[in-house]
Amino acid sequence: ALELQSTGCGALKIDGEEIKLADEAVHLGCLYSFTGDSLVTTEHRLSIARSQFGKLTAIWKDDKLTTSIKIELYRAAIVSTATYGCETWKFNDATRQRMNNFNAKALAVITGKTIRDMAKNPPFNIVNHIKTARAKWLGAILRMDPSRELFQMCKETHGGQYDGCIFDIAPTTTTTFEELIDAAQLEPGWNK
């Protein structure tokens, strides 16, 4: 959209109706930016999760519930919202830091400990949770029929140096795409 705007091309029309160009769009619950800013999606998910977390303040402050139950509720209701679609994110240092900060602040409220303590030694590690989800997704792609477009796209991008790409979680003992496919066949060991 920005490229079209900057080139000065005419308005985009469908059946004579002008279509307004947007810088961002929500698709299947994820916000995408046409600027290429990968943090837009992460911040969008965290914004929704923060709102949900706030609505459950009474639960987090309830003295009758154990901390372990609160953490399980947090994982089910909040983490699932915050990490929705994480398999496709550009999961680089900036994204990991934002997720870890969110997690530490939430766990500090739940446990009554400091944010610093929860950042250093969290009872639930959201970054590891995301890495596991991404490993499962990559494994599922690698076990797909090779004629599938997603498999083909994954094969074409393998070996490229993309900061935060899904191959970052692949076993370090594999170097070729074929070795990755072989490793993925060893499910459930793949996810470890």
Side-chain angles (χ1 to χ4, degrees):
L2 293 176
E3 185 177 320
L4 287 174
Q5 291 171 346
S6 66
T7 60
C9 72
L12 178 62
K13 294 183 179 184
I14 297 178
D15 293 332
E17 186 177 335
E18 186 173 331
I19 305 299
K20 183 180 178 192
L21 299 176
D23 296 335
E24 298 176 341
V26 177
H27 180 67
L28 299 174
C30 292
L31 180 68
Y32 296 96
S33 170
F34 295 110
T35 64
D37 184 356
S38 62
L39 289 176
V40 169
T41 298
T42 306
E43 290 300 331
H44 175 70
R45 296 310 310 168
L46 287 176
S47 176
I48 296 168
R50 282 184 198 103
S51 175
Q52 292 302 105
F53 187 83
K55 291 176 183 176
L56 299 175
T57 299
I59 290 174
W60 312 135
K61 299 295 182 184
D62 190 329
D63 292 334
K64 295 175 191 150
L65 295 173
T66 65
T67 301
S68 61
I69 289 175
K70 291 177 188 179
I71 291 172
E72 287 304 311
L73 289 169
Y74 165 70
R75 288 179 65 176
I78 308 303
V79 171
S80 61
T81 299
T83 62
Y84 176 77
C86 67
E87 298 85 353
T88 63
W89 294 353
K90 181 178 180 181
F91 199 57
N92 56 16
D93 288 340
T95 306
R96 279 189 286 277
Q97 182 178 3
R98 280 189 170 77
M99 295 307 292
N100 193 48
N101 289 346
F102 167 79
N103 192 56
K105 289 175 183 176
L107 290 174
V109 170
I110 293 169
T111 64
K113 296 182 180 178
T114 67
I115 294 171
R116 173 176 244 163
D117 288 342
M118 292 298 94
K120 287 184 176 182
N121 191 21
F124 171 74
N125 188 319
I126 198 167
V127 170
N128 287 343
H129 173 78
I130 292 170
K131 285 179 180 179
T132 299
R134 290 167 63 84
K136 287 179 183 178
W137 178 236
L138 179 58
I141 293 170
L142 294 170
R143 290 187 290 275
M144 284 180 179
D145 182 320
S147 65
R148 301 258 320 253
E149 287 183 24
L150 185 56
F151 180 94
Q152 290 299 320
M153 185 274 314
C154 196
K155 184 176 182 178
E156 288 174 21
T157 60
H158 179 260
Q161 298 299 319
Y162 308 107
D163 180 34
C165 78
I166 197 161
F167 293 112
D168 287 353
I169 50 84
T172 56
T173 56
T174 60
T175 55
T176 68
F177 192 74
E178 289 70 27
E179 288 174 327
L180 276 177
I181 293 170
D182 290 343
Q185 303 309 317
L186 302 174
E187 185 185 22
W190 169 266
N191 299 331
K192 294 182 181 180

